[in-house]
């Protein structure tokens, strides 16, 4: 395993297969300059202490554009950066391999220093079609990189483990059954097929972004409704699974949801220490969020994010947003599939040191001036920044849920706010990235158009800000500030 | 009096273009979103200013206006009494005059998407036609009396999906034309986006046309009919990612242009002989989504890239249809940004944000754009060469709980009508202004052509007959421009795959009690046309598939191709539900008899396989009720419309894979007006249990419907010994 630079703020110590997370202070910055997973760290709080990131750029004139990589036509997952490599899920409309045509799910790997395409993993679409694998949506899972392994969920609902080097290292590690073994193809270590192994039937798309603790990789199965939208065809499949990161074998699973799934299960899991216990926290298909002992899968608590009198789909919501753990609290917003449009939403701060059904006992605050949301909150210096699908960014007191201010982006927001160096970056469906100043008073610093919809969140790594629109990945940097990151390797 | 009017209108129809002030189709008289009326309101308020009236009925489609009536299609009732509905209001007062409710059945469309399409009015007859999300096409007169009703799900294998996307019908001369993805039989067995035309007076099928290839999605792009150098073309984006141009009176394909890898939902607009097409999905040759393209509509055959006048990539106009204003075109993208484009080169002139999500199409009238957004804002806008002035911007509902506007506005007699999700509004003067008159697109002005014939249309087509039935067919001739010439009395008639006799267009079905499917052909000179006929023998009958060749299916069954096929299973022939192929095939209903049968029982043996821990769902259909065995959840249901769960009855039922079960579903119309469906299931080889296991008494009954079978799932299912008989 390659040794990383370890930050003094968050120290991850490997000890008997268990990571101890130091108490978060001002930020959840991964601290290495890398951004190795969705949210940067297992607590999913998108905060970076990085300095010198650009606040102005122009995709037309290429001002402050370090490089651009062409993706497919739709890219919903987030880029991750680790070990001098950049990984991102998309579809096959970019035709990186002219011999591989037609609709596919694709994971692309680029060199961080110059955006050179390194290799790709290509997944056929499921024969069962759109009910399980929607046309052209590609891979929407944001990968997780751990050393020389990259983990993600394919459009075929497989938890994949690949060699970060692909076949570029000249070796076929792990399983030997890859269909394509050229220098630009991916080297599969193992795959865990959630449809075969645990009976999951994902609704429209399996999209979970993995999170890790010790030797365990956690993903949502995305099990959901069939095409009728009233029948749960596979009620016995779990909502959440833990798989050994080395062997690809199932370690634990939980199916508290059973057949109460409202629609799909698209929220990704989060790991953090709450009240001294390392918890796996997961928003599930019945609109409840649940906390588990991360090692054993023992359920510790559950919390209903919908008012009891709410009715699906008008007022009852599902959970798509990823929960964030911050100072022993869990922050989560509910919402619905963007296809369902706008509507009422709910945001909660939950005291997850409580046990059992904590809908009443664990409620710290409830913010109901939010619309449906699929965005993940970011929290720093006692302020929560939370976007909703109707295009409002809310700044709330993390302790009370009191709103300091809100900002209307005038377009639907799928992305999540990223806090870097005192600034908030947030993209919208019209392709605008707005930059605001962190703090209790609203100040807009700028708005920059990316050419097409920005569904993903900004990612900082080694002085470079990565932002993808639907079909392109931009590496943005001030010419003087951007250090060539490959120098470290 | 009515007769006199109708004679007068018929005279008008034959010799001139019908002139009215109606807005009888949702895209307006020329199906281009444009009204020629003047002096229309610049501002209004829901509380009274410039508000002629409002009525507490909402919808998700556009109202239409014809004479002194306004028609709105929407949802009625909720839960187990939910139905689709057409409502008729007095155009001056908003008073509800009548409504007609009809059932959604055998459809995957969910309750909240009912009432997707807009109705169409026929100014020549005063009739109104409505196409439901479940595929029911109904003609009504101006008093709400049903003239005829067709079930396109059962008779044409029309696919209706969770998305709910449903094309609105249009009128062209004597035809009601609709389109959608169908899986029929014979030459129309494969799944394709088909155009279907019906005689507006009788509901008889006039033509079925399949100009395109495999469908990707269900879609709802509105058609436009444009006169291109003397040939009238119906131009419409389809489920196969192509825009197709056909001759509206015959369905004959003229040109097609492939612009996307997904289905298309926006209307085409035409200026002169240039057609502008838009979409927001995957392009064929770029990783950028969305495109706007101008093509030469005088083309023939498949249009190539070289024939494109201009194109711009990346514009996301995928749901809201554009309008043309001189040399400019306006369109609202999926993110509710209104933009103006230069029609000569596609260059964007300006952009104005109106909200976050956009479905409704703007209407251009009196120099103003009228349009509502999904965030519940209704705008009146004055566009110009450099920008747009907001004349009025009314929030319906509240910002937190908006009253969404999904359908477009209608403009008639100085007033603007539109529906939010809760309310029908009429903006304008309380006393209507009748000064404005325009030609209606529904009328077909051309007198009988004297050109040589190039096309034979045999009507009626897609008939369902009984042994011994006698039917008179007519051979209708059309010229190269698609204009009607005459009915040909001297055609040479013949039969293809049908047993019976035909002479002078009169076809007598053989009296043998067997099922049949084939064509009645008419040859005139060296051109031939045909009508399709299916024959079903009277009940009872039994199908054990022993006489059917492997990999095929009974020829007169609808919706079998690529979905079901006969297999030899250890010497016994069974019907397999296939699992390969397009996702549009995975949930399959097939119809095995006429849609006007009632009071009968269907029995079948079924067996499921298990694969990847999944066991499929299998069912039998009678009179629009389905008795379904669910594999994974081990349940037995009776459900007329699965997504509306309140009317489903269910019981736990343990059943094993690789085991044959007998299913029995009996449906009976009761004397009190309700309908009873009841079922039972037992292992083949065991005695039939005496008691029924599951029963549904339906207060909003389906009084007739075709027998059929249902299969769904990742693992194969098998059917055998299907028996249909009159209730004992």
């Amino acid at each position: 395993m390659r040794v990383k630079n370890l930050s003094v703020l968050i120290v991850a110590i490997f000890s008997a297969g268990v990571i101890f997370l130091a108490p978060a202070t001002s930020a959840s910055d991964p601290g290495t300059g890398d951004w190795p997973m969705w949210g940067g760290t297992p607590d999913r709080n998108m905060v970076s202490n990085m300095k010198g990131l650009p606040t102005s750029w122009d995709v037309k004139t290429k001002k402050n554009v370090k490089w651009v990589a062409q993706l497919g036509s739709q890219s919903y997952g987030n880029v991750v950066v680790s070990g001098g490599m950049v990984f991102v899920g998309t579809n096959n409309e970019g035709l990186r391999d002219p011999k591989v045509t037609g609709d596919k799910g694709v994971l692309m790997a680029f060199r961080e220093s110059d955006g050179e395409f390194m290799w790709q993993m290509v997944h056929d679409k499921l024969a069962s079609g759109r009910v399980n694998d929607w046309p052209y949506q590609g891979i929407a899972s944001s990968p997780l990189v751990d050393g020389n392994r990259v983990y993600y969920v394919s459009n075929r609902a497989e938890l994949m483990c690949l060699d970060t080097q692909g076949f570029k290292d000249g070796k076929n590690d792990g399983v030997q059954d890859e269909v394509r073994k050229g220098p630009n193809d991916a080297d599969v270590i193992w795959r865990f097929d959630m449809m075969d192994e645990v009976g999951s039937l994902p609704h429209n798309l399996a999209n979970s972004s993995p999170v890790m603790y010790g030797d365990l990789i956690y993903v949502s199965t995305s099990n959901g409704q069939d095409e009728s939208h009233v029948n749960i065809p596979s009620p016995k499949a779990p909502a959440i699974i833990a798989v050994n990161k080395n062997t690809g074998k199932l370690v634990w699973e939980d199916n508290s949801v059973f057949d109460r799934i409202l629609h799909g299960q698209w929220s990704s899991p989060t790991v953090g220490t709450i009240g001294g216990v390392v918890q796996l926290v997961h928003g599930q298909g019945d609109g409840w969020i649940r906390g588990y002992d991360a090692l054993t899968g023992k359920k510790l608590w559950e919390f209903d994010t919908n008012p009891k009198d709410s009715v699906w789909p008008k007022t009852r919501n599902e959970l798509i947003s990823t929960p964030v753990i911050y100072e022993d609290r869990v922050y989560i917003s509910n919402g619905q599939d963007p296809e369902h449009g706008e509507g009422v939403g709910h945001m909660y701060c939950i005291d997850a040191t409580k046990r059992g059904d904590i809908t009443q006992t664990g409620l710290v605050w409830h913010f109901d001036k939010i619309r449906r949301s699929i965005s993940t909150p970011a929290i720093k210096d006692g302020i929560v920044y939370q976007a909703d699908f109707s295009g409002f960014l809310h700044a709330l007191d993390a302790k009370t849920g009191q709103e300091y201010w809100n900002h209307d982006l005038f377009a639907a927001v799928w992305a999540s706010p990223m806090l870097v160096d005192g600034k908030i970056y947030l993209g919208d469906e019209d392709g605008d990235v707005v930059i605001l100043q962190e703090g209790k008073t609203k100040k807009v610093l700028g708005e920059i158009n990316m050419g097409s919809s920005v569904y993903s969140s900004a990612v900082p790594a080694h002085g470079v800000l990565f932002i993808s629109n639907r079909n392109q990945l931009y590496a943005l940097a001030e010419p003087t500030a951007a250090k060539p990151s490959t120098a470290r390797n | 009096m009515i007769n006199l009017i109708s004679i007068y209108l018929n005279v008008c129809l034959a010799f001139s273009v019908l002139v009215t002030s109606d807005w009888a189709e949702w895209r307006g008289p020329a199906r281009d979103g444009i009204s020629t009326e003047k002096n229309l309101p610049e501002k209004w308020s829901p509380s009274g200013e410039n508000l002629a009236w409002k009525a507490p009925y909402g919808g998700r489609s556009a109202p239409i206006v014809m004479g002194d009536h306004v028609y709105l299609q929407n949802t009625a009732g909720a839960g187990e009494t939910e139905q689709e509905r057409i409502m008729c209001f007095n155009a001056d007062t908003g008073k509800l005059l009548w409504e007609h409710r009809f059932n959604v059945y055998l459809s995957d469309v969910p309750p909240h998407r009912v009432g997707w399409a807009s109705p169409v009015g026929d100014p020549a007859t005063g009739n109104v036609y409505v196409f439901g999300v479940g595929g029911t096409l109904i003609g009504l007169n101006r008093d709400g009396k049903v003239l005829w009703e067709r079930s396109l799900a059962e008779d044409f294998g029309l696919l209706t999906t969770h998305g709910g996307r449903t094309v609105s019908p249009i009128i062209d001369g004597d035809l009601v034309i609709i389109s959608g993805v169908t899986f029929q039989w014979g030459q129309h067995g494969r799944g394709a986006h088909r155009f279907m035309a019906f005689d507006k007076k009788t509901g008889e099928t006039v033509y079925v046309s399949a100009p395109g290839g495999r469908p990707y999605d269900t879609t709802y792009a509105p058609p436009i009919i444009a006169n291109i150098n003397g040939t009238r073309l119906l131009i419409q984006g389809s489920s196969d990612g192509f825009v197709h141009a056909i001759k509206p009176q015959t369905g004959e394909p003229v040109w097609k242009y492939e612009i996307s890898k997904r289905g298309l939902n926006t209307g085409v607009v035409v200026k002169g002989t240039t057609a502008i097409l838009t979409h927001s999905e995957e392009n064929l040759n770029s990783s950028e989504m969305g495109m706007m393209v101008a093509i030469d509509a005088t083309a023939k055959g498949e249009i190539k890239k070289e024939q494109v006048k201009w194109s711009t990539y990346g514009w996301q106009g995928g749901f809201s249809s554009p309008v043309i204003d001189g040399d400019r075109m306006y369109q609202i993208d999926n993110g509710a940004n209104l933009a103006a484009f230069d029609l000569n080169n596609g260059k964007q002139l300006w952009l104005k944000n109106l909200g976050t999500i956009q479905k409704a199409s703007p209407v251009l009238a009196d120099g103003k754009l009228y349009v509502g957004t999904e965030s519940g804002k209704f705008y009146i806008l004055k566009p110009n060469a450099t920008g747009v002035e907001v004349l009025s911007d009314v929030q319906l509902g509240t910002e937190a709980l908006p009253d969404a506007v999904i359908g477009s506005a209608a403009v008639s007699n100085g007033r603007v009508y539109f529906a939010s999700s809760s309310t029908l509004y009429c903006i304008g003067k309380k006393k209507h202004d009748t000064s404005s008159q325009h030609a209606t697109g529904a009328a077909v002005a051309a007198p009988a052509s004297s050109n040589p014939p190039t096309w034979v249309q045999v009507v009626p087509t897609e008939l369902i007959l009984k042994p011994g039935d006698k039917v008179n067919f007519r051979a209708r001739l059309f010229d190269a421009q698609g204009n009607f010439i005459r009915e040909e009395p001297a055609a040479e008639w013949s039969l293809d795959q049908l047993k019976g006799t035909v002479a002078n267009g009169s076809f007598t079905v053989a009296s043998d009690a067997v099922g049949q499917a084939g064509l009645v052909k008419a040859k005139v000179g060296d051109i031939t046309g045909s009508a399709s006929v299916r024959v079903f023998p009277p009940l009872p009958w039994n199908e054990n598939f022993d006489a059917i060749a492997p990999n095929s299916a009974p020829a007169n069954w609808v919706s079998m191709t690529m979905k079901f096929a006969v297999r030899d299973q250890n010497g016994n022939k069974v019907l397999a539900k296939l699992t390969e192929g397009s996702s549009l095939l995975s949930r399959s209903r097939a119809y095995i008899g006429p849609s006007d049968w009632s009071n009968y029982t269907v029995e079948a043996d079924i067996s499921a396989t298990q694969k990847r821990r999944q066991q499929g769902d299998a069912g039998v259909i009678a009179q629009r009720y389905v008795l379904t065995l669910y594999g994974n959840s081990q349940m037995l249901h009776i459900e007329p419309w699965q997504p509306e769960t309140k009317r489903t009855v269910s019981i736990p039922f343990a059943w094993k894979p690789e085991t044959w079960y007998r299913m029995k579903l009996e449906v009976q119309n009761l004397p009190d007006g309700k309908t009873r469906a009841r079922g039972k299931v037992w292992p083949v080889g065991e005695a039939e249990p005496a008691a029924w296991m599951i029963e549904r008494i339906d207060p909003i009954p389906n009084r007739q419907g075709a027998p059929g079978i249902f299969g769904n799932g990742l693992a194969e299912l098998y059917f055998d010994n299907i028996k249909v008989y009159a209730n004992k």
Side-chain angles (χ1 to χ4, degrees), chain A residues 461-483:
Chain A
H462 307 116
V464 177
L465 198 62
F466 292 90
I467 300 180
S468 45
N469 61 19
R470 272 196 301 263
N471 63 332
Q472 294 162 316
L473 170 60
Y474 283 89
L476 306 165
E478 306 274 356
T480 49
K483 283 176 279 189

Side-chain angles (χ1 to χ4, degrees), chain A residues 163 166-173 187:
Chain A
D163 180 349
F167 285 118
K168 288 268 190 255
D169 62 3
K171 286 187 306 205
N172 188 349
D173 300 294
D187 182 3

